[in-house]
Every structure is written in C-alpha cells, then in structure tokens.
Amino acid sequence: MNRGLTLIETLLYIALLSVLTVTALPLLADLNSWQSEQNVYGDATRDFLFLEAKVRFFAQMATRVIRPEIGEYSDVFSFDTENLGIITLKLENGLILDYEEGGVESVPLFATSTLIESLTFYRPSTVNFETIVFSAVINGFNFGTTTYLFRNE
C-alpha cells in the first residue's frame, strides 16, 4: 500500500521546522556579533602592537627623554635624538601624531578608522635603565606595556 503524508503530518513538520528556525536565528546572530567583536579586538591589538613597535623604534634613537619627567604621567612622549633632533609623540583629536623638530609636518600613525581614546606615558625612577611605561585605549580596549630605552650613564 502506497501511503503519502497527510495534511496534518505536513503541518506538524512545517511547525517543527518553524520552531527550530526561530530558535536558531538568534543563536546565529549572537555568533555573528561575537565574531565582529573579536575582529574589533584583533584590529585594536594589531594597532597597539604597531604603536608599541613605533615607540620602541623611536626609543632606540633617544639620547635623552624630555617628557614625561621622572615620576610624571603625560600624554606626550618627547625625546632628543642625535640625528633628527627632538621627536614628540602625542595624541591629538583621536590621532597619534609624531612631530619632528624643525617644522617637519606631523603624520598620523594610524588610519582614521582607529579610535584612540587615550594615550598615557609614565616615566618611573629607575637605576640602570631609562624606562617608559605607556598605555592606550584603542577602539574601547585597554593596552599597556613597558619599554626600556637606554642605559643611564
């Protein structure tokens, strides 16, 4: 005997599929939201690592730190170099700019899509090494690191 699905069975299958679909869609939306958040965190991490590399690059050229003073917090990192004169890193209107002495135009270190909410430099009192501790809030995430500049003589 060849028997197909009755109307009631078909309606039950449709209702069951509808319930499964309605419960699965919010889960997929949450997963998509989580992935977006991870992408933003990944971008912020990449930007901070770039900033850290830039500060380390500049710090290798430093012969004397001008700002911040020992024991001071500052939003400006300014130092003297042998070849380029004074270089200053500072946060201005959400962009990190680096200025060189002698009127060289400042250049943003990041694309404008990167939101830098704060940038803080701290110079602790150390015996053997000149040290700069800096932190930044990038796209809503907090980051921080320590950079050893040069040996005190």
Side-chain angles (χ1 to χ4, degrees), residues 23-39:
T23 56
L25 285 178
L27 294 175
L28 292 175
D30 286 346
L31 179 62
N32 191 23
S33 170
W34 180 80
Q35 282 181 323
S36 292
E37 197 173 295
Q38 291 302 308
N39 287 342

Side-chain angles (χ1 to χ4, degrees), residues 50-72:
F50 175 77
L51 174 62
E52 180 183 19
K54 194 75 164 177
V55 168
R56 285 181 193 274
F57 172 75
F58 282 138
Q60 288 174 354
M61 297 186 296
T63 56
R64 176 178 64 99
V65 175
I66 299 168
R67 191 161 176 207
E69 296 289 331
I70 292 177
E72 176 186 66

Side-chain angles (χ1 to χ4, degrees), residues 108-130:
L109 294 184
F110 295 107
T112 54
S113 61
T114 300
L115 176 63
I116 301 167
E117 299 165 36
S118 74
L119 178 66
T120 305
F121 295 97
Y122 174 68
R123 187 172 165 203
S125 174
T126 55
V127 176
N128 294 326
F129 288 93
E130 189 68 51

Side-chain angles (χ1 to χ4, degrees), residues 16-31:
L16 181 63
L17 284 175
S18 298
V19 168
L20 290 175
T21 302
V22 166
T23 56
L25 285 178
L27 294 175
L28 292 175
D30 286 346
L31 179 62

Side-chain angles (χ1 to χ4, degrees), residues 89-146:
L89 289 176
K90 65 187 280 186
L91 180 64
E92 200 171 279
N93 298 325
L95 297 174
I96 296 177
L97 303 175
D98 68 280
Y99 296 93
E100 291 181 21
E101 187 178 43
V104 175
E105 201 166 305
S106 63
V107 179
L109 294 184
F110 295 107
T112 54
S113 61
T114 300
L115 176 63
I116 301 167
E117 299 165 36
S118 74
L119 178 66
T120 305
F121 295 97
Y122 174 68
R123 187 172 165 203
S125 174
T126 55
V127 176
N128 294 326
F129 288 93
E130 189 68 51
T131 306
I132 292 292
V133 177
F134 70 96
S135 63
V137 178
I138 301 175
N139 292 339
F141 297 99
N142 293 309
F143 297 95
T145 190
T146 300

